Amino acid sequence: MKKIFLALIISLAILSCDSDNNDSSDQQNLIIGEWKLSSISVNGQNLDINACMLEQTRTFQNNGNLIEYFWEETTPCTYNTSTIQYTFNNDVLVSLNGDEVINGMPFEITNNVLTLNASTLIYVETGDNIDGTYPQNQQQTFTYTKI
């Protein structure tokens, strides 16, 4: 009887640990793929963004690469692609651009993920390693739709 009870407790402990790991793994898996910009807001007010901006995408890959397809802010719409690195842990999404080095460190932008599901990614850009944490009234909220 003691052996059965001990086996039951060990099984429950293992299942508890697996559940925690799966939550983190599920979040990691959800972010993988291509996301298209839907909107940008500041203080709850949507910014007026043009059609060129709405074609921008971010593709998160399993290997930590983030491929950005971005508008060059020219007319007609001209786009460029850049591959940088990202980390995603505990709802904090950090992008690291090794091509832009600040004090010997890659330029880094920190974002707090508010929503991540199979179709929607919403995050707030909260700071970088040059300016530190942005004032609350200057933090932009980005909404992307999975494509």
Side-chain angles (χ1 to χ4, degrees):
M1 182 72 171
K2 288 181 183 178
K3 289 181 181 179
I4 292 173
F5 183 70
L6 182 59
L8 179 63
I9 289 182
I10 291 172
S11 296
L12 287 174
I14 290 171
L15 289 174
S16 299
C17 292
D18 286 347
S19 175
D20 292 344
N21 291 341
N22 287 341
D23 289 345
S24 176
S25 177
D26 289 346
Q27 287 294 94
Q28 288 289 338
N29 290 335
L30 280 173
I31 203 164
I32 302 302
E34 187 173 10
W35 299 86
K36 187 172 184 180
L37 182 65
S38 301
S39 68
I40 303 172
S41 64
V42 176
N43 290 327
Q45 299 293 316
N46 282 337
L47 300 180
D48 186 24
I49 56 178
N50 64 32
C52 295
M53 290 181 76
L54 291 172
E55 293 301 315
Q56 296 181 124
T57 62
R58 304 186 100 199
T59 303
F60 296 89
Q61 298 180 324
N62 283 323
N63 63 0
N65 284 343
L66 169 56
I67 301 170
E68 298 181 309
Y69 178 74
F70 59 94
W71 177 44
E72 290 282 348
E73 299 187 29
T74 59
T75 304
C77 299
T78 303
Y79 297 93
N80 203 343
T81 302
S82 175
T83 301
I84 61 175
Q85 300 297 300
Y86 79 93
T87 61
F88 180 48
N89 296 302
N90 300 319
D91 293 328
V92 177
L93 176 63
V94 178
S95 59
L96 303 134
N97 187 343
D99 292 336
E100 293 182 45
V101 178
I102 312 300
N103 297 324
M105 300 294 291
F107 181 63
E108 180 178 301
I109 296 177
T110 302
N111 308 281
N112 289 335
V113 175
L114 304 177
T115 302
L116 175 59
N117 57 45
S119 62
T120 305
L121 169 62
I122 302 173
Y123 61 81
V124 178
E125 191 173 275
T126 58
D128 62 48
N129 60 340
I130 297 174
D131 298 320
T133 302
Y134 303 151
Q136 187 75 28
N137 65 350
Q138 294 176 13
Q139 294 181 5
Q140 296 182 335
T141 300
F142 294 82
T143 301
Y144 285 84
T145 304
K146 199 163 206 174
I147 55 176

